[in-house]
Amino acid sequence: MTLIIVEVWSYIQLPIIWWLFKRFAKRNVLGEMIAGSMIGAFNEFATEPLWDYHLRLNIYKDTPLILVLGWGVMFTLVVFVSEKLYCKFLKKDRIEPYDKRIFLFDVLAGALVCFPIETACAKLGLWTYRWDRLFWDWGNIPVVNMPLEALFGYSLLMLVGPTFVRYWERPLEGGR
């Protein structure tokens, strides 16, 4: 029953998050959500054999649609948090074009946003890791008991994902 509630809430949260950003941050994040979902579709298709998902509405084998869409939400949050951290720590009003320091903030934001979501979803039983295929052996992060490789994987993904999202967000919203 918990998984059904989580799955239903996951679909409900999509328009709520879009509306919250539009209302309070004065930011249309539809393009970010679409671009992030494109990365999610690739990621879920490419890694499908490594996890067993336990949700109902699937689009490819046992890969749930909400996971693909959830990547859009995650990347929206990562880009937002990264940009806020960048501006706060570097005392800027906005990201300077071609400033490579944004990569550091993307990785930090990815660790702050994605890893807790990964941990919560794994603990809720939305998926189980296929340990027989992963061969992860770096150890686990104390307290949360999550594999170090998951955190490292998110860090690597954040080196390219948020840049892709920033590049495509406006065109996907119909702008330049």
Side-chain angles (χ1 to χ4, degrees):
M1 184 60 143
T2 301
L3 292 178
I4 293 171
I5 292 169
V6 170
E7 188 167 7
V8 168
W9 165 248
S10 297
Y11 286 102
I12 293 170
Q13 78 168 336
L14 296 169
I16 291 172
I17 289 173
W18 174 83
W19 179 81
L20 288 171
F21 270 100
K22 187 109 169 138
R23 173 83 164 94
F24 296 108
K26 306 295 186 235
R27 184 172 177 155
N28 181 8
V29 294
L30 182 61
E32 291 168 300
M33 293 173 100
I34 293 169
S37 294
M38 291 166 60
I39 297 169
F42 168 78
N43 190 55
E44 294 304 326
F45 180 81
T47 65
E48 187 277 331
L50 303 176
W51 342 99
D52 285 330
Y53 294 110
H54 309 294
L55 298 174
R56 302 260 188 229
L57 186 56
N58 299 324
I59 56 170
Y60 175 70
K61 297 187 180 184
D62 73 337
T63 302
L65 172 62
I66 194 56
L67 257 68
V68 171
L69 300 174
W71 280 99
V73 171
M74 277 198 329
F75 275 110
T76 298
L77 295 173
V78 167
V79 166
F80 181 75
V81 169
S82 175
E83 291 172 1
K84 292 298 181 191
L85 291 171
Y86 174 97
C87 291
K88 180 174 178 60
F89 285 105
L90 300 179
K91 298 181 183 4
K92 307 274 185 194
D93 292 334
R94 59 184 175 81
I95 299 173
E96 292 180 7
Y98 308 106
D99 186 351
K100 307 302 184 279
R101 295 177 291 181
I102 192 65
F103 290 119
L104 299 172
F105 293 99
D106 288 346
V107 170
L108 177 60
L112 292 172
V113 172
C114 299
F115 192 71
I117 293 172
E118 173 86 14
T119 302
C121 291
K123 300 295 182 196
L124 282 171
L126 275 62
W127 59 77
T128 51
Y129 298 114
R130 290 294 312 266
W131 296 106
D132 59 320
R133 296 179 182 171
L134 286 167
F135 301 110
W136 285 349
D137 59 3
W138 290 359
N140 290 340
I141 298 171
V143 181
V144 294
N145 196 32
M146 287 291 289
L148 280 166
E149 288 92 333
L151 180 58
F152 185 70
Y154 275 113
S155 297
L156 290 174
L157 186 57
M158 294 308 130
L159 290 173
V160 294
T163 300
F164 177 87
V165 170
R166 283 187 196 96
Y167 183 83
W168 284 102
E169 69 183 300
R170 296 277 186 262
L172 291 169
E173 290 167 359
R176 290 182 176 222

